Amino acid sequence: MSKILYNNLEQSLLLKNSNVIKVSDRSISYHTDFKVKAVREYLTGKTPNQIFIENGFNLELIGYEKPK
C-alpha cells in the first residue's frame, strides 16, 4: 500500500487526467487504455517516469516511485 496520502485537492487534480479512472486517499486507478499504451511505450525503450510525464502526470504529486 502506498505511503502517499492524497488530499481532496490532489485527488481532484489527478481525476482531471483522462488516464485516471478513480482516486482514493491512497491509490490511483488507471484507465485500461493507458496501461496498454504504457506497456507498449516501455517495450520501445521509454522509462516509466518518462511515460507518466508524457501522459500528463506530475511526479511530484504522485511520487517518483509510483510509475515503477
XYZ file of all heavy atoms in Angstrom:
556
model
N 0.834 -1.170 0.000
C 0.000 0.000 0.000
C 0.887 1.246 0.000
O 1.944 1.260 0.592
C -0.912 -0.019 1.210
C -1.880 1.132 1.218
S -3.319 0.930 2.269
C -4.193 -0.329 1.392
N 0.401 2.271 -0.656
C 1.167 3.499 -0.809
C 1.330 4.236 0.517
O 0.432 4.260 1.346
C 0.461 4.413 -1.808
O 1.131 5.638 -1.911
N 2.488 4.855 0.677
C 2.737 5.684 1.850
C 2.250 7.107 1.600
O 2.169 7.901 2.514
C 4.229 5.695 2.172
C 4.747 4.354 2.608
C 6.237 4.410 2.875
C 6.746 3.032 3.228
N 8.181 3.014 3.429
N 1.938 7.404 0.347
C 1.471 8.735 -0.022
C -0.031 8.819 0.237
O -0.783 7.932 -0.138
C 1.758 9.024 -1.506
C 3.258 9.010 -1.776
C 1.142 10.352 -1.928
C 3.625 9.140 -3.232
N -0.450 9.891 0.874
C -1.869 10.148 1.091
C -2.279 11.341 0.235
O -1.655 12.399 0.296
C -2.149 10.445 2.567
C -1.936 9.303 3.537
C -2.113 9.780 4.974
C -2.884 8.160 3.238
N -3.319 11.157 -0.571
C -3.809 12.223 -1.443
C -4.972 12.930 -0.764
O -5.970 12.307 -0.418
C -4.259 11.653 -2.790
C -3.173 10.903 -3.505
C -3.220 9.519 -3.632
C -2.089 11.568 -4.055
C -2.214 8.826 -4.283
C -1.079 10.881 -4.713
C -1.157 9.511 -4.817
O -0.158 8.814 -5.454
N -4.850 14.256 -0.604
C -5.959 15.014 -0.035
C -7.006 15.277 -1.125
O -6.823 14.903 -2.283
C -5.454 16.309 0.625
C -4.832 17.279 -0.367
O -5.259 17.401 -1.508
N -3.791 17.980 0.075
N -8.092 15.923 -0.773
C -9.187 16.149 -1.729
C -8.751 16.957 -2.939
O -9.160 16.664 -4.062
C -10.375 16.827 -1.038
C -11.088 15.901 -0.086
O -11.012 14.675 -0.229
N -11.766 16.457 0.897
N -7.939 17.977 -2.732
C -7.459 18.795 -3.849
C -6.600 17.962 -4.789
O -6.763 18.005 -6.009
C -6.674 20.004 -3.335
C -6.024 20.885 -4.409
C -7.082 21.452 -5.347
C -5.219 21.992 -3.773
N -5.687 17.180 -4.233
C -4.813 16.336 -5.051
C -5.628 15.289 -5.812
O -5.365 15.021 -6.983
C -3.762 15.665 -4.167
C -2.770 16.654 -3.590
C -1.919 16.081 -2.476
O -2.370 15.144 -1.775
O -0.793 16.586 -2.308
N -6.633 14.726 -5.162
C -7.498 13.763 -5.835
C -8.216 14.409 -7.018
O -8.315 13.827 -8.086
C -8.508 13.176 -4.852
C -7.879 12.254 -3.833
C -8.870 11.717 -2.828
O -10.029 11.488 -3.149
N -8.412 11.513 -1.601
N -8.713 15.634 -6.828
C -9.390 16.333 -7.932
C -8.449 16.608 -9.086
O -8.824 16.474 -10.247
C -9.973 17.669 -7.529
O -10.344 17.792 -6.283
N -7.216 17.006 -8.770
C -6.229 17.262 -9.824
C -5.926 15.984 -10.602
O -5.843 16.003 -11.835
C -4.933 17.825 -9.219
C -5.007 19.236 -8.651
C -3.727 19.573 -7.907
C -5.270 20.241 -9.763
N -5.769 14.884 -9.909
C -5.477 13.614 -10.576
C -6.644 13.160 -11.451
O -6.443 12.627 -12.539
C -5.143 12.536 -9.539
C -3.779 12.695 -8.880
C -3.684 11.829 -7.629
C -2.671 12.347 -9.859
N -7.877 13.390 -11.002
C -9.044 12.978 -11.774
C -9.213 13.770 -13.074
O -9.909 13.321 -13.976
C -10.311 13.094 -10.923
C -10.494 11.985 -9.902
C -11.642 12.312 -8.954
C -10.726 10.647 -10.596
N -8.557 14.912 -13.168
C -8.618 15.700 -14.409
C -7.820 15.039 -15.531
O -8.029 15.346 -16.695
C -8.104 17.116 -14.164
C -9.047 17.937 -13.333
C -8.522 19.343 -13.126
C -9.497 20.131 -12.255
N -9.030 21.489 -12.032
N -6.931 14.125 -15.182
C -6.144 13.406 -16.186
C -7.017 12.302 -16.771
O -7.554 11.465 -16.045
C -4.887 12.814 -15.542
C -3.950 12.198 -16.547
O -4.356 11.441 -17.409
N -2.676 12.511 -16.425
N -7.158 12.281 -18.091
C -8.032 11.303 -18.755
C -7.539 9.867 -18.603
O -8.281 8.928 -18.903
C -8.164 11.651 -20.239
O -6.898 11.567 -20.872
N -6.322 9.675 -18.128
C -5.778 8.337 -17.924
C -6.157 7.751 -16.570
O -5.834 6.605 -16.280
C -4.252 8.362 -18.052
C -3.814 8.773 -19.432
O -4.230 8.185 -20.406
N -2.992 9.805 -19.513
N -6.830 8.532 -15.746
C -7.195 8.113 -14.397
C -8.690 7.822 -14.339
O -9.507 8.622 -14.787
C -6.829 9.216 -13.376
C -7.321 8.865 -11.985
C -5.331 9.445 -13.374
N -9.030 6.661 -13.766
C -10.439 6.290 -13.593
C -10.954 6.787 -12.251
O -12.012 7.396 -12.163
C -10.630 4.759 -13.675
C -10.271 4.249 -15.056
C -12.051 4.371 -13.314
C -10.265 2.741 -15.169
N -10.210 6.482 -11.180
C -10.613 6.942 -9.851
C -9.398 7.091 -8.961
O -8.344 6.517 -9.226
C -11.647 6.009 -9.225
C -11.125 4.654 -8.840
C -12.234 3.812 -8.201
C -11.655 2.498 -7.713
N -12.619 1.697 -7.004
N -9.587 7.871 -7.903
C -8.509 8.139 -6.951
C -9.092 8.058 -5.545
O -10.162 8.581 -5.282
C -7.908 9.548 -7.153
C -6.791 9.814 -6.172
C -7.430 9.744 -8.567
N -8.380 7.390 -4.659
C -8.740 7.398 -3.241
C -7.613 8.107 -2.500
O -6.672 8.589 -3.124
C -8.927 5.971 -2.721
O -7.674 5.323 -2.606
N -7.698 8.118 -1.205
C -6.641 8.806 -0.459
C -5.306 8.076 -0.553
O -4.258 8.662 -0.329
C -7.033 9.022 1.000
C -7.293 7.735 1.752
O -7.537 6.689 1.107
O -7.271 7.764 2.994
N -5.312 6.793 -0.961
C -4.068 6.029 -1.032
C -3.760 5.405 -2.386
O -2.687 4.837 -2.562
C -4.096 4.903 -0.005
C -4.038 5.381 1.406
C -3.877 4.205 2.347
N -3.840 4.645 3.712
C -2.729 4.867 4.396
N -1.571 4.656 3.844
N -2.780 5.276 5.635
N -4.679 5.473 -3.333
C -4.410 4.784 -4.603
C -4.991 5.515 -5.801
O -5.914 6.314 -5.681
C -4.960 3.357 -4.560
O -6.366 3.383 -4.529
N -4.415 5.192 -6.965
C -4.865 5.726 -8.246
C -5.200 4.536 -9.131
O -4.396 3.614 -9.261
C -3.762 6.558 -8.930
C -3.281 7.679 -8.021
C -4.250 7.107 -10.267
C -2.017 8.371 -8.513
N -6.387 4.556 -9.744
C -6.771 3.514 -10.704
C -6.665 4.110 -12.101
O -7.243 5.160 -12.388
C -8.205 3.047 -10.457
O -8.310 2.437 -9.197
N -5.907 3.423 -12.960
C -5.623 3.924 -14.298
C -6.530 3.263 -15.333
O -6.901 2.096 -15.195
C -4.157 3.652 -14.658
C -3.203 4.258 -13.673
C -2.630 3.488 -12.669
C -2.885 5.606 -13.718
C -1.756 4.049 -11.741
C -2.015 6.170 -12.799
C -1.466 5.383 -11.809
O -0.609 5.936 -10.892
N -6.851 4.012 -16.382
C -7.665 3.511 -17.480
C -6.905 2.391 -18.194
O -5.690 2.452 -18.352
C -7.956 4.660 -18.453
C -9.079 4.382 -19.370
N -8.949 3.571 -20.460
C -10.369 4.797 -19.348
C -10.103 3.503 -21.092
N -10.979 4.234 -20.424
N -7.630 1.371 -18.619
C -7.025 0.225 -19.301
C -6.220 0.647 -20.524
O -5.130 0.125 -20.765
C -8.113 -0.789 -19.714
O -8.841 -1.164 -18.547
C -7.511 -2.021 -20.350
N -6.735 1.594 -21.292
C -6.018 2.055 -22.485
C -4.651 2.635 -22.126
O -3.676 2.446 -22.851
C -6.832 3.106 -23.243
C -8.086 2.537 -23.874
O -8.161 1.301 -24.043
O -8.989 3.319 -24.204
N -4.587 3.355 -21.012
C -3.310 3.913 -20.569
C -2.340 2.798 -20.192
O -1.162 2.853 -20.525
C -3.495 4.870 -19.391
C -2.190 5.290 -18.765
C -1.292 6.091 -19.462
C -1.842 4.869 -17.492
C -0.078 6.462 -18.904
C -0.641 5.242 -16.917
C 0.242 6.042 -17.628
N -2.828 1.792 -19.509
C -1.962 0.679 -19.094
C -1.348 -0.012 -20.315
O -0.146 -0.284 -20.349
C -2.749 -0.332 -18.268
C -3.201 0.187 -16.934
C -4.028 -0.878 -16.233
C -4.690 -0.384 -14.985
N -5.497 -1.432 -14.331
N -2.182 -0.258 -21.327
C -1.692 -0.916 -22.545
C -0.680 -0.024 -23.254
O 0.390 -0.479 -23.668
C -2.876 -1.277 -23.479
C -2.382 -1.753 -24.831
C -3.773 -2.324 -22.829
N -1.021 1.261 -23.373
C -0.117 2.212 -24.019
C 1.210 2.298 -23.272
O 2.276 2.318 -23.893
C -0.787 3.590 -24.067
C 0.048 4.662 -24.694
C -0.684 5.999 -24.666
C 0.176 7.099 -25.213
N -0.455 8.409 -25.094
N 1.147 2.323 -21.944
C 2.366 2.426 -21.135
C 3.271 1.216 -21.352
O 4.489 1.361 -21.492
C 2.000 2.563 -19.660
N 2.691 0.031 -21.421
C 3.491 -1.177 -21.648
C 4.132 -1.130 -23.028
O 5.318 -1.431 -23.188
C 2.639 -2.452 -21.472
C 3.389 -3.687 -21.948
C 2.211 -2.613 -20.022
N 3.361 -0.724 -24.023
C 3.922 -0.631 -25.385
C 5.071 0.360 -25.448
O 6.101 0.106 -26.078
C 2.826 -0.240 -26.375
C 1.868 -1.359 -26.657
C 0.894 -0.988 -27.736
N 0.005 -2.105 -28.006
C -1.268 -1.989 -28.302
N -1.823 -0.792 -28.405
N -2.000 -3.054 -28.525
N 4.895 1.508 -24.806
C 5.953 2.518 -24.807
C 7.178 2.031 -24.038
O 8.310 2.290 -24.436
C 5.431 3.833 -24.228
C 4.432 4.514 -25.147
C 3.883 5.816 -24.596
O 4.210 6.199 -23.451
O 3.107 6.465 -25.323
N 6.957 1.314 -22.962
C 8.063 0.763 -22.180
C 8.869 -0.219 -23.032
O 10.100 -0.223 -22.994
C 7.520 0.079 -20.926
C 8.591 -0.528 -20.060
C 9.384 0.278 -19.242
C 8.818 -1.891 -20.060
C 10.374 -0.275 -18.442
C 9.806 -2.453 -19.265
C 10.586 -1.636 -18.457
O 11.566 -2.189 -17.684
N 8.170 -1.024 -23.820
C 8.844 -2.007 -24.670
C 9.652 -1.354 -25.793
O 10.551 -1.977 -26.349
C 7.832 -3.001 -25.253
C 7.180 -3.933 -24.230
C 6.085 -4.768 -24.883
C 8.212 -4.823 -23.553
N 9.346 -0.092 -26.110
C 10.127 0.629 -27.114
C 11.332 1.338 -26.506
O 12.092 1.979 -27.213
C 9.277 1.668 -27.879
O 8.886 2.704 -26.982
C 8.069 1.025 -28.537
N 11.460 1.249 -25.163
C 12.642 1.819 -24.525
C 12.409 3.027 -23.643
O 13.353 3.555 -23.056
N 11.173 3.493 -23.528
C 10.919 4.639 -22.654
C 10.945 4.196 -21.202
O 10.585 3.064 -20.868
C 9.552 5.248 -22.963
C 9.501 5.976 -24.284
C 8.186 6.695 -24.443
C 8.145 7.446 -25.760
N 6.862 8.151 -25.921
N 11.349 5.102 -20.332
C 11.354 4.803 -18.901
C 9.943 5.022 -18.341
O 9.156 5.797 -18.895
C 12.326 5.717 -18.144
O 11.844 7.068 -18.218
C 13.731 5.624 -18.704
N 9.624 4.354 -17.229
C 8.307 4.569 -16.620
C 8.047 6.046 -16.286
O 6.958 6.558 -16.555
C 8.362 3.715 -15.354
C 9.306 2.614 -15.707
C 10.353 3.277 -16.566
N 9.042 6.732 -15.729
C 8.854 8.154 -15.407
C 8.568 8.969 -16.660
O 7.701 9.844 -16.657
C 10.071 8.712 -14.675
C 10.131 8.281 -13.228
O 9.188 7.700 -12.692
N 11.241 8.551 -12.587
N 9.282 8.699 -17.735
C 9.073 9.413 -18.991
C 7.656 9.180 -19.507
O 6.989 10.112 -19.958
C 10.098 8.932 -20.019
C 10.029 9.631 -21.349
C 11.062 9.087 -22.348
O 11.720 8.081 -22.100
N 11.189 9.757 -23.465
N 7.174 7.952 -19.425
C 5.819 7.616 -19.885
C 4.785 8.395 -19.083
O 3.863 8.990 -19.656
C 5.574 6.096 -19.767
C 6.483 5.341 -20.747
C 4.104 5.762 -20.023
C 6.586 3.846 -20.501
N 4.936 8.417 -17.769
C 3.964 9.125 -16.941
C 3.999 10.632 -17.208
O 2.954 11.266 -17.321
C 4.213 8.824 -15.462
C 3.465 7.613 -14.973
C 3.799 6.341 -15.417
C 2.420 7.744 -14.077
C 3.115 5.219 -14.976
C 1.725 6.628 -13.622
C 2.069 5.363 -14.069
N 5.184 11.205 -17.319
C 5.296 12.644 -17.590
C 4.656 12.989 -18.930
O 3.893 13.949 -19.041
C 6.769 13.099 -17.553
C 7.296 13.028 -16.120
C 6.936 14.501 -18.123
C 8.806 13.172 -15.997
N 4.946 12.202 -19.962
C 4.392 12.461 -21.296
C 2.873 12.283 -21.336
O 2.226 12.767 -22.261
C 5.053 11.548 -22.327
C 6.486 11.912 -22.605
C 7.179 10.959 -23.570
O 6.563 9.975 -24.023
O 8.370 11.205 -23.861
N 2.325 11.601 -20.357
C 0.879 11.392 -20.305
C 0.198 12.275 -19.263
O -0.902 11.986 -18.801
C 0.568 9.912 -20.069
C 0.788 9.112 -21.333
O -0.050 9.086 -22.221
N 1.947 8.478 -21.442
N 0.869 13.362 -18.898
C 0.256 14.410 -18.099
C 0.285 14.244 -16.597
O -0.455 14.927 -15.892
N 1.131 13.354 -16.083
C 1.202 13.163 -14.642
C 2.305 14.023 -14.042
O 3.381 14.152 -14.610
C 1.470 11.694 -14.298
C 0.300 10.806 -14.572
C 0.212 10.104 -15.760
C -0.726 10.676 -13.656
C -0.868 9.283 -16.033
C -1.815 9.852 -13.914
C -1.879 9.155 -15.103
N 2.029 14.584 -12.887
C 3.002 15.358 -12.125
C 3.648 14.402 -11.128
O 3.003 13.952 -10.178
C 2.288 16.494 -11.403
C 3.208 17.316 -10.548
O 4.292 16.901 -10.169
N 2.762 18.522 -10.224
N 4.905 14.078 -11.339
C 5.586 13.117 -10.476
C 5.767 13.628 -9.054
O 5.859 12.836 -8.117
C 6.927 12.702 -11.069
C 6.851 11.951 -12.401
C 8.242 11.514 -12.837
C 5.922 10.764 -12.323
N 5.798 14.950 -8.881
C 5.871 15.484 -7.517
C 4.591 15.175 -6.755
O 4.622 14.973 -5.547
C 6.129 16.991 -7.538
C 7.532 17.328 -7.989
C 7.810 18.823 -7.972
O 7.074 19.561 -7.291
O 8.769 19.245 -8.624
N 3.483 15.110 -7.473
C 2.205 14.816 -6.847
C 2.012 13.323 -6.588
O 1.663 12.912 -5.488
C 1.057 15.335 -7.723
C -0.359 15.030 -7.263
C -0.623 15.602 -5.888
C -1.354 15.566 -8.266
N 2.278 12.505 -7.588
C 2.024 11.066 -7.427
C 3.175 10.323 -6.772
O 3.005 9.205 -6.300
C 1.660 10.381 -8.766
C 2.833 10.369 -9.744
C 0.425 10.997 -9.376
C 2.611 9.516 -10.969
N 4.352 10.929 -6.782
C 5.523 10.282 -6.203
C 6.401 9.714 -7.312
O 5.905 9.144 -8.277
N 7.683 9.873 -7.168
C 8.620 9.430 -8.208
C 8.714 7.910 -8.288
O 9.141 7.366 -9.288
C 10.005 10.045 -7.962
C 10.030 11.524 -8.244
C 9.823 12.447 -7.226
C 10.204 12.000 -9.535
C 9.816 13.800 -7.484
C 10.200 13.354 -9.805
C 10.001 14.257 -8.772
O 9.986 15.601 -9.037
N 8.313 7.213 -7.251
C 8.361 5.754 -7.258
C 7.098 5.134 -7.840
O 7.090 3.960 -8.210
C 8.570 5.223 -5.830
C 9.886 5.649 -5.216
C 11.083 5.122 -5.990
O 11.090 3.942 -6.361
O 12.020 5.917 -6.232
N 6.007 5.880 -7.957
C 4.718 5.360 -8.424
C 4.801 4.742 -9.820
O 4.266 3.658 -10.026
C 3.666 6.466 -8.371
C 2.281 6.037 -8.740
C 1.622 5.188 -7.699
C 1.064 6.029 -6.589
N 0.363 5.239 -5.580
N 5.454 5.373 -10.792
C 5.493 4.783 -12.133
C 6.153 3.412 -12.206
O 5.876 2.635 -13.094
C 6.282 5.796 -12.950
C 6.052 7.087 -12.252
C 6.004 6.710 -10.795
N 7.015 3.086 -11.288
C 7.731 1.816 -11.364
C 6.815 0.690 -10.974
O 6.891 -0.396 -11.341
C 8.953 1.847 -10.479
C 9.926 2.887 -10.998
C 11.095 3.043 -10.086
C 11.972 4.142 -10.646
N 12.954 4.629 -9.803
